[in-house]
Amino acid sequence: MSPESETDELPGDGALPEEAALPGAVSDGLRAELIAFRRDMHMHPELGNQEFRTTAALKHRLERAGLVPRVLAGGTGLVCDVGTWDGVRPMLALRADIDALPIPDTKTDAPYRSTVPNRAHACGHDVHTSAVLGAGLVLAGLDRQGLLPNAVRLIFQPAEEVLPGGAADAIKDGALDGVGKIIAVHCDPRVDAGLIGLRHGPITSACDRLEISLDGPGGHTARPHLTTDLVTAVAKVATEVPALLARRVDARAGLAVTWGRIEAGHACNVIPQHAELSGTVRCLDLPAWRDAPDLVHAAIDEIATLHHAKSQINYVRGVPPVVNDPVVTELLRAAQTARRGSYAIEDTEQSLGGEDFSWYLEHVPGAMARLGVRTPGSQARYDLHRGDFDVDEQAIEVGVELFTAAALIDGNRL
């Protein structure tokens, strides 16, 4: 995937004063290689559980560094240990997600834009992957010199964008065996490259998928009183279910139903027999998320019954919120401070986006940082899940530095 390069060695000079006590700065050669890797991955996006090319490229590069990666049971994604685990001290895991989105890449001036129709790395997973790969290569160089204090697990996870997420499959396949903590980053186009955002506690939202079918006998629009006015019924469900839930759940839980699709009818003078809605249920609070399916079902049934419509509900459980462990969050703070200084950290808010990194945190403490990808001073405004999404590639090096510093600090504390 990327050009052959002899950049596995311990990188050289260029450290900031804060870095003096930590080895593992990113060399010029490795920096160029990781940018090339990211661009190649960006040009060849693969959807969840179809990431065969990406998996093969990662496996090849890790093997060139003398490591022994293991492809996950589903055939995509892999795990790889750097250093030899002693079976006693728990490892720190670095997690990346490798899948892309089913949307077109609309960038017109980037030579590395997607070559695959209706596929794009519009969420920054190519950056996450390149950063964890780079961290693995740097740590492998340190390990050869006897400077890695404890083994580190690399997790390249498939299918983050596919509910309920590929994390659950990776965990089932042993990705967390021997792991005591886990860290990750997520690109943030609102934060300048060079900076990270940190937050104790919840940093993302829970996200579930909701699909509803409403049925009635149908009829003539001249006589709605003789049938079930299904268009009115579906409109009422769309507007009144969110309003009803807002009065049945503590507002601080942030439970929100938002519709993405409504379909009903084919002719202006025919009351249809079938209508459909689909959308998402998002929630900021973990206890409220656990209660959400019963609450949503009850609200839909109540409104549908009021309008004499039969309802069928498919509530697809997605992911809980990512809740950052305070101790692991402070590990990320110490790592960024060691590499770039405390000025390179800012507070971040809880997002309503979902992230299956949360499934790892059901098993081990961990934390996710927001990785700044906005070019400082730029007036361009990119957003996640948009076809024109792009990043300042300086962010890759920042991610590598963060991961390697966290591994060294954590290993020396054990």
Side-chain angles (χ1 to χ4, degrees), residues 56-79:
L58 288 165
K59 183 174 183 289
H60 172 69
R61 186 62 185 94
L62 293 167
E63 288 175 341
R64 279 183 50 220
L67 301 172
V68 185
R70 175 177 66 87
V71 176
L72 296 175
T76 65
L78 49 88
V79 297

Side-chain angles (χ1 to χ4, degrees), residues 231-321:
V231 172
T232 296
V234 75
K236 290 294 186 179
V237 168
T239 57
E240 294 185 12
V241 165
L244 191 60
L245 289 169
R247 293 296 176 268
R248 294 185 176 175
V249 181
D250 189 327
R252 291 170 295 183
L255 181 66
V257 175
T258 305
W259 308 108
R261 183 179 69 91
I262 299 179
E263 293 185 14
H266 301 283
C268 66
N269 60 347
V270 177
I271 294 174
Q273 295 176 301
H274 184 75
E276 296 180 356
L277 304 88
S278 59
T280 59
V281 181
R282 298 181 186 270
C283 189
L284 300 175
D285 179 71
L286 188 56
W289 175 72
R290 290 178 174 139
D291 294 337
D294 290 341
L295 291 167
V296 171
H297 271 261
I300 292 168
D301 287 340
E302 185 172 328
I303 301 301
T305 299
L306 182 64
H307 293 275
H308 307 291
K310 296 179 180 179
S311 62
Q312 288 187 320
I313 304 166
N314 181 27
Y315 193 110
V316 181
R317 220 37 165 152
V319 295

Side-chain angles (χ1 to χ4, degrees), residues 67-143:
L67 301 172
V68 185
R70 175 177 66 87
V71 176
L72 296 175
T76 65
L78 49 88
V79 297
C80 182
D81 290 351
V82 183
T84 302
W85 183 44
D86 61 13
V88 178
R89 294 178 299 168
M91 290 180 283
L92 176 69
L94 318 179
R95 176 268 200 173
D97 35 13
I98 65 175
D99 59 324
L101 286 161
I103 64 174
D105 189 335
T106 60
K107 295 187 293 295
T108 58
D109 57 353
Y112 49 82
R113 64 184 177 272
S114 173
T115 61
V116 184
N118 299 313
R119 303 287 186 270
H121 271 293
C123 201
H125 293 188
D126 50 344
V127 174
H128 308 163
T129 300
S130 300
V132 171
L133 173 62
L137 298 179
V138 171
L139 293 171
L142 293 173
D143 184 50

Side-chain angles (χ1 to χ4, degrees), residues 144-384:
R144 288 195 296 273
Q145 298 191 23
L147 298 175
L148 184 63
N150 192 34
V152 176
R153 169 76 47 81
L154 313 178
I155 301 174
F156 297 94
Q157 175 215 304
E160 190 276 331
E161 299 288 355
V162 182
L163 290 178
D169 291 332
I171 294 166
K172 190 181 301 182
D173 198 20
L176 291 181
D177 293 352
V179 169
K181 302 184 188 74
I182 188 167
I183 57 176
V185 295
H186 197 294
C187 290
D188 191 334
R190 303 164 301 172
V191 177
D192 283 352
L195 307 180
I196 66 167
L198 292 177
R199 176 185 174 87
H200 286 190
I203 192 171
T204 71
S205 166
C207 180
D208 299 333
R209 187 170 77 243
L210 181 60
E211 299 167 344
I212 305 169
S213 296
L214 298 180
D215 292 285
H220 199 296
T221 56
R223 293 175 288 278
H225 58 290
L226 299 180
T227 187
T228 295
D229 186 349
L230 208 62
V231 172
T232 296
V234 75
K236 290 294 186 179
V237 168
T239 57
E240 294 185 12
V241 165
L244 191 60
L245 289 169
R247 293 296 176 268
R248 294 185 176 175
V249 181
D250 189 327
R252 291 170 295 183
L255 181 66
V257 175
T258 305
W259 308 108
R261 183 179 69 91
I262 299 179
E263 293 185 14
H266 301 283
C268 66
N269 60 347
V270 177
I271 294 174
Q273 295 176 301
H274 184 75
E276 296 180 356
L277 304 88
S278 59
T280 59
V281 181
R282 298 181 186 270
C283 189
L284 300 175
D285 179 71
L286 188 56
W289 175 72
R290 290 178 174 139
D291 294 337
D294 290 341
L295 291 167
V296 171
H297 271 261
I300 292 168
D301 287 340
E302 185 172 328
I303 301 301
T305 299
L306 182 64
H307 293 275
H308 307 291
K310 296 179 180 179
S311 62
Q312 288 187 320
I313 304 166
N314 181 27
Y315 193 110
V316 181
R317 220 37 165 152
V319 295
V322 172
V323 181
N324 280 350
D325 177 81
V327 173
V328 185
T329 303
E330 288 309 303
L331 172 63
L332 289 171
R333 185 181 304 278
Q336 181 74 346
T337 300
R339 292 299 194 199
R340 293 185 168 249
S342 59
Y343 60 87
I345 303 168
E346 60 181 48
D347 294 333
T348 192
E349 61 189 13
Q350 185 177 4
S351 164
L352 277 169
E355 236 290 352
D356 78 347
F357 183 69
S358 54
W359 291 125
Y360 297 105
L361 307 189
E362 297 280 302
H363 300 269
V364 297
M368 172 174 281
R370 301 288 183 194
L371 181 66
V373 296
R374 181 178 63 194
T375 299
S378 172
Q379 298 303 309
R381 290 293 180 266
Y382 301 115
D383 199 5
L384 302 172

